[in-house]
Amino acid sequence: MLDVDKLIDDPETRVVVCCGSGGVGKTTTAAAIALRAAERGRQTVVLTIDPARRLAQALGLRELGNHPRQVQVEGFDPKGELWAMMLDMRRTFDDMVRAHAGPDRAEQLLANPFYQTISTSFSGTQEYMAMEKLGQLAATGDWDLIVVDTPPSRSALDFLDAPTRLSSALDGRMIRLLTAPAKAGGWGLRKVVSAGFTMFAKAVSTIIGGQLLADASAFMQAFDTMFGGFRERARKTAELLRSKGTAFLVVASPEPDALREASYFVDRLSSESMPLSGLVANRTHPVLAGLSATAALTAAERAEPNAPLATAVLRLHADRVTLAEREERLLARFTRAHPEVPIVRVPALPSDVHDVAGLRDIGDRLASSSDA
């Protein structure tokens, strides 16, 4: 059984990572967990990757920035504290460069056109910077619980592989090729071109020709001196994600595609020895009355001539029962494939969450809807 309160009350739980496919409610789930943890006494910060700013609005804040802001709104008086922030990928990369490259070299890097391109569009940059920011938050020691809303990714591999993939892309042969022009003159430049540099040029399409190579070479020579720190932080973040104090929650709606992606996440987390705590089955449609769909439709047919309102209610109930049964079959299939994964079911709300009260309601449902 997934006991959400037990999870967030445990002082050894330092990081909760909400992951899953896009559109399943990860941001709302992360915010609700963070708010509930703060109300139960934890010093909590929630990191969101969602650019839609819904989290800021729900928390009563005009906007969220790249550094945590404390949530202080009327009607919210937690025993602990709640802070929130939204990842700014470019600013996080810039801050990392300033912190680890030294003032003069940092300005060279930040002004380099090649850097300006990869810091916003290189594959895996958003996922890596989310992990960089997680590492920064953990290193401060200011919070005893960090809740992370992971980037929406088509593949479960993107989030887990980002630190290794990005560091590998900026390492090894790429650095040797890009630093070759400065070390070997014109021959180095021809060597880079002949080595098939066009695949990298495609990723930096805003710069063309020889200027691209010159900018890339200058960037790599400057970046090479701080690369050891870059890889070391990636390693530490990977260790943090595998540590006992981290808990992964896979969030999914009771739909075939979302649960298929959730199964993939579960398998990958298991293969990577990541600490999975359970599945949040979000936006379910439980039936509270014991009347079957068949009985409801039969009663509707009998009542139809004289009681149109009762007929409509009975038909609506039949549709709800059919939907609930479909969701049960899908969740049962997931459970058969992953019997070791506890599930908590969160019933759908009648409207979107837009304030602290709505997030508190989600938290209540998370805590009270456990399923073995």
Side-chain angles (χ1 to χ4, degrees), residues 21 42 47 51 57 66 79 110 116 169 171 330 339 359:
S21 57
R42 301 296 298 269
L47 164 63
Q57 296 169 0
N66 200 47
K79 295 178 181 178
L110 295 176
Q116 293 171 5
D171 192 11
L330 290 170
L359 291 175

Side-chain angles (χ1 to χ4, degrees), residues 273-287:
S273 300
M274 301 286 188
L276 174 64
S277 290
L279 174 80
V280 176
N282 200 27
R283 302 171 185 158
T284 63
H285 298 83
V287 176

